[in-house]
Amino acid sequence: MKKLWLPVLLLLMVCSSVPFFSSCKKDNLNTTGVLSFSTDTLTFDTLFTTLGSTTRFFTVKNNQKHPVTISNIRIGGGTATSYRINVDGDTGASFTDVEIPAKDSIYVFVEVTIDPNAASLPFILLDSVQFTVEDKQQQVILQAYGQNAHFFNGDSIETNVVWDNDLPYVILNYLQIKPGASLTINNGCNVFFGGGAALLVEGALNVNGTDTSNMVTFRGVRLDKDVADRPYDDFPGQYAGVFFLRNSTGNFNYLKMRNSAYGLNVGNIKTSENAADNIAQLQSLDLSSAPVVTVKNSILYNHAFFGIFGFMGKVRAENTLVYNCGKNVVGLYFGGDYEFTHCTFYTRGNAYVSHTQDPAFYMNNFFTYDIAQPSIHADSSRAAFVNCILYGTLDEEIVAEGSVQNPKRIDLTFSHSILKTKETLNPPVFVVCKKEDPKFVNFLRNNYKLKDTSPGSNFGMPASVLTDLEGFSRGNPPDVGAYEIQ
């Protein structure tokens, strides 16, 4: 298997982690001198222990009309510090006789790695970079917020395991749930994925959020910002996603998942280097081995390719919002069986994902393994949308492709739904549907609740989903989508 790359509520001051401080008080350094700094405090956002930070920097300027020699630049904590500095290209803990030409400046780059401790709450780690010029001292404070966590790196779960909300959970590389084993993640847990990391499910994965205030969160591990001061939390594709292999199961309630490449990926197969074996495996696929995944009251967004991906899988989703994915918000490939009730699906292009070609929804019933060979046909292909919104900025957001050689056609229906399509809304595919703008409260701010004037108001048909994503009772008739108008 290819190896995959990888709000602070309370700050606990850890005096023992601050080697250059006495009784947690700042050194009384003279902050007046010939040097000026682009900042007086360089701050790193919350970092998980043992994981290195991104590189941050500040500039040191000589305001004099003549060159200035800095006799010493050093980290206050010396060799015991968790910080590392680089001064104009040279790395070390201490530098001597660093010259800055008149009216010029140098860069100081800083990284930090935080050691684990016994703290369950985020803590602060302090140090400084100290400068000595002509017996005068100046400093720039360094501060980083650390967080202990449970770490998994290429590990396997082989029994029934429960995660509770005591510390964050960090998955590096991958975590695999073996056949017959289960992982249950309880409300309030935060699961962070390192670069390229994946959660591989061959057994059972259960996510037990309880409401929108106690959701389980899946997201990338980067809590900091890039050099352009953009939060990494906005970037799609930070980790691979969650993959359900054949015969696995998943139950999600109040999941908030963002930043992955492939989202919830339902129906993967284990491939080999032998093409004939892969083709034989694809030809034998049917619903009897399909992963069965239920998604309720969940929010999936900012994924590089897919929000929900199916590959001869079974998915039942309700009260779920999926938006802003780079390829398909919902992509159902090579058939399967899918039902979506009171879901909102939307996508548009933004600074991180393009939306110029691929539709929000795509489905097919075939797979082409080798363009020189006939396509492999799916045994069953069905998808039903009831009381849903499927919208976006393209003229056509719904595309279904069936192989002409496949005698089993795609069974696709939309009922009492608002859709973005150029197709004529006639049965049997479209049953009591509208093509009007759903009138979200503010899609630019990712608020996909409906305005009072929405054509989705009271447009739904009675269904078994009696409350909306936020727990409000639905009317009779209900509004369409994941939210009931309040």
Side-chain angles (χ1 to χ4, degrees), residues 203-234:
L205 174 61
N206 305 301
V207 168
N208 296 333
T210 53
D211 53 49
T212 52
S213 298
N214 294 279
M215 303 183 82
V216 171
T217 298
F218 289 2
R219 55 156 295 177
V221 75
R222 297 294 296 268
L223 305 177
D224 52 341
K225 299 179 181 180
D226 70 356
V227 294
D229 204 37
R230 299 174 300 183
Y232 278 103
D233 193 31
D234 292 339

Side-chain angles (χ1 to χ4, degrees), residues 164-417:
D164 292 316
N165 183 23
D166 55 350
L167 290 173
Y169 296 82
V170 178
I171 298 174
L172 306 174
N173 200 347
Y174 68 88
L175 175 64
Q176 186 168 10
I177 306 172
K178 292 290 190 175
S182 69
L183 171 60
T184 298
I185 306 177
N186 286 330
N187 65 291
C189 284
N190 292 299
V191 183
F192 297 84
F193 292 79
L199 179 54
L200 308 174
V201 186
E202 294 183 276
L205 174 61
N206 305 301
V207 168
N208 296 333
T210 53
D211 53 49
T212 52
S213 298
N214 294 279
M215 303 183 82
V216 171
T217 298
F218 289 2
R219 55 156 295 177
V221 75
R222 297 294 296 268
L223 305 177
D224 52 341
K225 299 179 181 180
D226 70 356
V227 294
D229 204 37
R230 299 174 300 183
Y232 278 103
D233 193 31
D234 292 339
F235 290 17
Q238 295 185 44
Y239 59 100
V242 180
F243 297 81
F244 289 89
L245 280 70
R246 310 311 296 178
N247 297 300
S248 61
T249 62
N251 289 281
F252 296 92
N253 197 22
Y254 290 103
L255 169 71
K256 180 178 285 188
M257 180 180 180
R258 59 188 183 269
N259 311 134
S260 84
Y262 296 100
L264 294 182
N265 203 288
V266 181
N268 293 270
I269 61 173
K270 289 183 175 180
T271 59
S272 72
E273 295 181 357
N274 189 311
D277 291 343
N278 294 330
I279 292 173
Q281 187 178 180
L282 288 166
Q283 290 173 333
S284 67
L285 281 188
D286 57 33
L287 288 177
S288 66
S289 66
V292 180
V293 176
T294 300
V295 185
K296 298 181 179 181
N297 308 306
S298 295
I299 304 175
L300 315 175
Y301 62 101
N302 284 5
H303 300 292
F305 300 112
F306 304 99
I308 296 176
F309 174 88
F311 192 86
M312 187 55 76
K314 291 183 179 180
V315 176
R316 302 291 182 266
E318 63 183 49
N319 276 349
T320 291
L321 168 65
V322 189
Y323 66 91
N324 290 355
C325 302
K327 188 170 178 62
N328 310 128
V329 173
V330 177
L332 309 178
Y333 292 72
F334 198 57
D337 193 88
Y338 309 92
E339 294 181 2
F340 303 93
T341 307
H342 279 294
C343 293
T344 297
F345 305 110
Y346 178 84
T347 196
R348 61 182 176 87
N350 57 37
Y352 305 103
V353 297
S354 173
H355 185 56
T356 59
Q357 182 176 351
D358 293 301
F361 170 78
Y362 175 83
M363 185 175 188
N364 70 27
N365 65 353
F366 62 93
F367 184 80
T368 303
Y369 187 87
D370 185 341
I371 59 174
Q373 301 294 326
S375 296
I376 302 168
H377 301 139
D379 177 70
S380 178
S381 303
R382 186 185 79 94
F385 293 77
V386 178
N387 298 348
C388 289
I389 299 173
L390 207 164
Y391 217 78
T393 54
L394 298 182
D395 291 335
E396 183 58 78
E397 295 287 8
I398 298 172
V399 175
E401 292 184 325
S403 170
V404 295
Q405 295 88 10
N406 193 346
K408 296 185 179 181
R409 299 299 188 185
I410 295 175
D411 179 7
L412 177 61
T413 59
F414 297 88
S415 177
H416 292 259
S417 296

Side-chain angles (χ1 to χ4, degrees), residues 13 54 114 124 178 204 245 287 299 336 357 446-447 470 481:
M13 184 72 76
T54 186
I114 301 176
I124 189 169
K178 292 290 190 175
L245 280 70
L287 288 177
I299 304 175
Q357 182 176 351
N446 300 318
N447 185 340
E470 293 190 331

Side-chain angles (χ1 to χ4, degrees), residues 426-466:
N426 292 330
V429 176
F430 304 102
V431 181
V432 192
C433 293
K434 295 180 179 180
K435 292 198 284 187
E436 304 173 49
D437 184 335
K439 294 186 179 181
F440 296 122
V441 170
N442 193 334
F443 65 88
L444 294 175
R445 294 183 178 272
N446 300 318
N447 185 340
Y448 298 101
K449 297 177 183 180
L450 301 179
K451 297 178 180 178
D452 293 343
T453 57
S454 170
S457 176
N458 300 326
F459 185 58
M461 62 183 293
S464 59
V465 185
L466 303 181

